[in-house]
């Protein structure tokens, strides 16, 4: 339902605020990441960018250049947590500070020879330790049990039990957020121009749980505050 798009919107909002971000994209090449960020930043249909029929304005190019000064994308596939740690440490040394580390996503990381549940637990603990070491939040994306587990529930809003290997991930996380869009189940293969996405805060170690409602714009893969 758009976990990478959500992360990219978080990235762009932080970049324009002058934050320093390291993004590990284990699923998509960096060219696609920058195309999607361009769509978000310029409110340009992603399809037009991919077809080469849309060009950013001079003003937007300047805005992108400034924002990307402290933005590092690593699209190396099948990496272990020690690789992520090494790259993040290097960027902190170069920049003097890091404001945000994002990993897309946990289940594409290369795990050790242990059983999957234990290995996932080790990876999440390593990334939590990295965030503490570098004094930077780590946003770790993860898969849910899809489609059978959630699709067959009467209430299709995901919960902690819907995380793959949920015990290990939940235990290490300070916060657990889920994305839910009802039309995902009602209109397979169809998307309205503007849709509603709920951000479900199912765990919040230092705050309240609850729901944040956002609007989802598929043509630009953007999220915005619900009107």
């Amino acid at each position: 339902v758009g976990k990478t798009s959500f992360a990219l919107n978080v990235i762009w909002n932080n970049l324009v605020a002058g934050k320093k971000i390291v993004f590990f994209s284990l699923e998509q090449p960096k060219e696609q990441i920058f195309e999607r960020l361009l769509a978000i930043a310029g409110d340009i249909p992603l399809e037009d960018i991919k077809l080469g029929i849309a060009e950013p304005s001079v003003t937007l190019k300047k805005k992108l250049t400034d924002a990307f000064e402290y933005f590092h994308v690593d699209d190396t596939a099948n990496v272990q947590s020690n690789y992520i740690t090494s790259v993040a440490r290097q960027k902190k040394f170069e920049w003097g500070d890091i404001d945000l580390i994002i990993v897309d996503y946990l289940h594409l990381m290369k795990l050790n020879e242990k059983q999957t549940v234990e290995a996932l637990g080790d990876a999440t603990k390593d990334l939590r330790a990295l965030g503490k070491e570098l004094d930077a939040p780590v946003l770790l994306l993860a898969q849910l049990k899809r489609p059978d587990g959630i699709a067959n529930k009467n209430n299709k809003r995901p919960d902690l039990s819907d995380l793959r290997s949920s015990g290990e991930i939940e235990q290490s996380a300070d916060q657990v957020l889920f994305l839910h869009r009802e039309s995902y189940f009602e209109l397979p293969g169809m998307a309205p121009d503007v849709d509603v996405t709920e951000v479900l805060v199912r765990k919040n170690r230092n705050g309240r749980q609850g729901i944040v409602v956002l609007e989802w714009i598929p043509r630009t893969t953007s999220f915005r505050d619900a009107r």
Side-chain angles (χ1 to χ4, degrees):
V1 295
K3 64 182 185 296
T4 299
S5 296
F6 183 83
L8 291 175
N9 279 261
V10 170
I11 286 172
W12 178 247
N13 289 334
N14 279 274
L15 286 176
V16 296
K19 304 299 184 181
K20 302 174 182 179
I21 302 174
V22 181
F23 180 46
F24 295 90
S25 178
L26 280 64
E27 184 176 28
Q28 298 184 30
K30 62 177 63 177
E31 291 80 6
Q32 293 183 15
I33 296 302
F34 283 107
E35 286 176 347
R36 296 177 70 170
L37 282 171
L38 175 58
I40 293 168
D43 192 28
I44 303 170
L46 180 59
E47 184 177 1
D48 290 354
I49 295 173
K50 290 182 175 295
L51 293 174
I53 60 177
E55 286 289 335
S57 65
V58 173
T59 302
L60 180 57
K61 285 182 179 179
K62 176 65 167 57
K63 188 176 182 180
L64 292 168
T65 300
D66 292 343
F68 290 161
E69 181 179 1
Y70 291 105
F71 178 47
H72 177 75
V73 180
D74 189 311
D75 60 358
T76 308
N78 201 31
V79 301
Q80 293 182 308
S81 56
N82 57 0
Y83 175 86
I84 292 173
T85 296
S86 176
V87 171
R89 285 172 175 167
Q90 179 62 33
K91 299 313 293 185
K92 170 131 186 178
F93 176 79
E94 293 176 11
W95 294 345
D97 200 7
I98 292 178
D99 296 300
L100 179 61
I101 300 166
I102 300 181
V103 181
D104 184 14
Y105 57 91
L106 172 64
H107 296 89
L108 287 181
M109 290 177 61
K110 182 178 180 181
L111 304 176
N112 54 32
E113 298 302 322
K114 300 177 184 179
Q115 294 181 347
T116 301
V117 172
E118 186 177 355
L120 284 171
D122 289 344
T124 56
K125 290 173 186 175
D126 289 346
L127 294 175
R128 179 178 176 82
L130 173 64
K132 186 176 181 180
E133 175 191 338
L134 301 185
D135 191 25
V138 177
L139 177 59
L140 176 60
L141 309 188
Q143 278 188 332
L144 300 181
K145 296 174 183 175
R146 290 189 181 274
D148 294 335
I150 293 177
N152 292 330
K153 296 196 306 184
N154 290 329
N155 179 5
K156 297 181 175 60
R157 288 175 176 80
D159 212 331
L160 293 171
S161 61
D162 294 310
L163 274 170
R164 291 176 57 182
S165 310
S166 71
E168 299 296 330
I169 301 171
E170 178 189 349
Q171 184 175 358
S172 294
D174 287 323
Q175 298 174 330
V176 179
L177 311 179
F178 294 100
L179 301 179
H180 174 73
R181 193 164 61 249
E182 196 68 24
S183 65
Y184 179 88
F185 303 97
E186 296 175 348
L187 303 170
M190 300 173 60
D193 292 336
V194 178
D195 205 349
V196 174
T197 294
E198 296 175 347
V199 182
L200 311 174
V201 184
R202 295 302 198 197
K203 177 183 178 181
N204 191 358
R205 185 166 288 166
N206 298 309
R208 294 181 299 173
Q209 299 180 28
I211 299 176
V212 178
V213 180
L214 301 175
E215 289 184 350
W216 160 244
I217 303 93
R219 68 183 186 89
T220 59
T221 66
S222 300
F223 289 92
R224 67 188 181 201
D225 293 338
R227 297 176 178 176

